[in-house]
Amino acid sequence: MKQRIFSGIQPSGNLHLGNYLGAIKNWVKLQEEYDSIFCVVDLHAITVPQDPEILRQKTIEVAKIYLAAGIDPEKSAIFIQSHISEHTELAWILNTIAKIPELEKMTQFKDKSQKNGRESASVGLFVYPVLMAADILLYNTETVPVGEDQLQHIELARDLAARFNKKFGETFIVPKHFVKEEGMRIMGLDDPRKKMSKSAASEYNYIALTDPEETIRKKIKKAVTDSGSEIIYCDDKPALKNLINIHSLLTDQTPAEIEKMYAGKGYGDFKNGLADAIVNFLKPLQERIGAISDAEVLDILEKGAAKVRPIAIQKIFDVKQKLGFII
Ligand code: ATP
Ligand code: LTN
């Protein structure tokens, strides 16, 4: 029996190199060994305001990106979170065992609720990690491949699983995370202290997977760098380190090889080379995205949901029985 992995991305904006290098790239490899489920988490996306038409487009786009990046629907199930209503059902139940202080200490909630003022933050944003725990626990997930920023949420999923099991008897697998050292935290191009994020205030924070060539070149030109002129990979130069990391991951070279390639050259040459590397990587990906029709992706998403639905139904049945619900 293969072990199961589950992961998801929100259709809440433009997917970027951080999403690819921190998450999707690893999924493509892992699907060869694991029983894999990949979700487009639209219920998570609406924890901050979304324009309905854009949400619709982005949901389809995220699924196309999964496919174009190499997720194979023959090997993995791909589906839309809101198509399986058991996610919200289990989230509600887990809300009743989650504690207010454990949600209050979530870094993502603190960051996102501060952005537009705490008064306007939704309750949905507050309980976002509980819905994520439900996503994971619903499918007997053993391993959750994500970027580093999600570790705290997975820890909560583990705590809730163990708490429920203790209270009501063995029901959930306590999941573990999978974070790959390389790519786990790609930083913003406009500020190397913060992670690259699709909800960043400025679009100069990220390179979207769908950015056209001119935009990529413009964004790399504007990317902040550190003082000095040499291309060296070190912690004292966090902006350059981040750019070298991106270069290295996209061209399968070590940071030392990149340093060597640009020895005696300056930031200008390095940035041109990096922009070339990104364009060379994204062009074929964008062509593949463009070649997938909406009808094709919707069909794959429907089949994906049909494949995983029985697992979710079975789990909710078990949970309700344990809770003492009449079923
Ligand atoms: P938002 O800014 O809207 O919260 P996001 O850009 O952080 O979005 P998510 O949908 O929250 O993206 O994350 C999807 C996946 O991509 C997660 O596994 C997350 O850990 C990973 N990820 C997101 N940003 C980065 C990053 N900068 N570096 C590495 N991995 C990342
Ligand atoms: N919160 C995650 C997205 C997400 C997820 C999940 C990831 C929702 N449900 C379940 C892994 C497993 C994020 O990346 N922002």
Side-chain angles (χ1 to χ4, degrees):
M1 273 282 276
K2 283 184 181 173
Q3 282 208 20
R4 177 162 297 140
I5 58 171
F6 181 103
S7 200
I9 297 184
Q10 307 177 72
S12 52
N14 298 319
L15 260 62
H16 49 73
L17 284 175
N19 296 133
Y20 176 75
L21 296 171
I24 304 173
K25 187 180 181 198
N26 301 325
W27 304 354
V28 173
K29 291 213 184 91
L30 291 167
Q31 71 177 342
E32 303 298 334
E33 280 173 59
Y34 290 83
D35 176 8
S36 307
I37 308 178
F38 302 116
C39 190
V40 183
V41 291
D42 54 352
L43 296 166
H44 276 104
I46 60 163
T47 56
V48 296
Q50 300 293 339
D51 176 275
E53 193 41 49
I54 294 176
L55 181 65
R56 237 186 303 276
Q57 285 167 15
K58 291 290 164 193
T59 302
I60 291 178
E61 185 178 284
V62 172
K64 285 186 181 176
I65 289 174
Y66 287 0
L67 296 169
I71 301 296
D72 178 351
E74 297 294 322
K75 295 179 183 150
S76 308
I78 307 178
F79 75 101
I80 299 175
Q81 189 185 28
S82 64
H83 286 184
I84 310 262
S85 53
E86 282 75 11
H87 288 252
T88 28
E89 209 171 348
L90 182 58
W92 173 257
I93 292 166
L94 294 177
N95 273 332
T96 65
I97 63 162
K99 307 275 193 272
I100 290 171
E102 66 191 347
L103 295 181
E104 272 173 340
K105 68 173 197 222
M106 292 290 153
T107 316
Q108 182 177 298
F109 173 70
K110 285 195 254 177
D111 287 352
K112 289 202 173 176
S113 60
Q114 252 162 29
K115 221 177 229 175
N116 297 312
R118 208 180 139 91
E119 319 72 53
S120 63
S122 71
V123 176
L125 187 65
F126 186 61
V127 295
Y128 173 117
V130 180
L131 177 60
M132 177 163 161
D135 297 342
I136 297 167
L137 302 182
L138 199 50
Y139 298 100
N140 299 316
T141 304
E142 271 134 334
T143 307
V144 190
V146 283
E148 191 201 27
D149 60 306
Q150 295 302 314
L151 293 185
Q152 204 183 16
H153 291 162
I154 296 174
E155 212 40 56
L156 178 79
R158 291 171 57 81
D159 290 346
L160 293 180
R163 194 173 303 157
F164 190 98
N165 289 348
K166 191 162 169 222
K167 243 176 143 163
F168 300 104
E170 214 46 46
T171 310
F172 295 120
I173 290 181
V174 179
K176 54 186 183 308
H177 66 258
F178 172 95
V179 175
K180 208 147 191 264
E181 180 72 28
E182 317 91 62
M184 69 182 194
R185 198 168 165 78
I186 301 295
M187 310 311 282
L189 300 180
D190 56 349
D191 182 354
R193 292 165 304 178
K194 291 197 189 130
K195 74 163 193 129
M196 187 176 280
S197 163
K198 55 178 132 71
S199 54
S202 159
E203 61 167 347
Y204 286 95
N205 167 274
Y206 60 80
I207 301 279
L209 299 176
T210 50
D211 272 345
E213 176 165 356
E214 320 83 79
T215 310
I216 296 170
R217 296 198 182 276
K218 200 161 64 185
K219 286 181 175 178
I220 293 299
K221 215 168 246 162
K222 275 196 79 161
V224 301
T225 42
D226 310 276
S227 57
S229 60
E230 275 177 281
I231 307 307
I232 21 179
Y233 186 77
C234 64
D235 291 338
D236 297 347
K237 298 186 185 296
L240 189 57
K241 184 177 175 189
N242 185 45
L243 297 179
I244 294 177
N245 268 334
I246 295 174
H247 196 318
S248 129
L249 289 164
L250 292 179
T251 54
D252 281 322
Q253 288 167 295
T254 63
E257 284 168 334
I258 307 276
E259 278 180 341
K260 216 186 224 166
M261 211 160 86
Y262 294 100
K265 295 184 179 158
Y267 284 157
D269 286 326
F270 170 71
K271 281 188 163 184
N272 282 335
L274 172 61
D276 288 343
I278 298 174
V279 170
N280 288 340
F281 171 74
L282 287 184
K283 263 217 172 126
L285 181 80
Q286 292 172 357
E287 277 164 19
R288 290 196 294 276
I289 297 171
I292 306 167
S293 71
D294 286 9
E296 198 180 331
V297 82
L298 289 170
D299 183 55
I300 288 171
L301 289 165
E302 209 171 291
K303 290 195 175 118
K307 196 155 132 190
V308 299
R309 189 171 286 115
I311 314 170
I313 290 176
Q314 179 60 50
K315 184 59 75 181
I316 283 290
F317 183 84
D318 186 19
V319 167
K320 285 181 169 173
Q321 227 168 11
K322 295 251 171 56
L323 287 169
F325 286 4
I326 307 282
I327 32 183

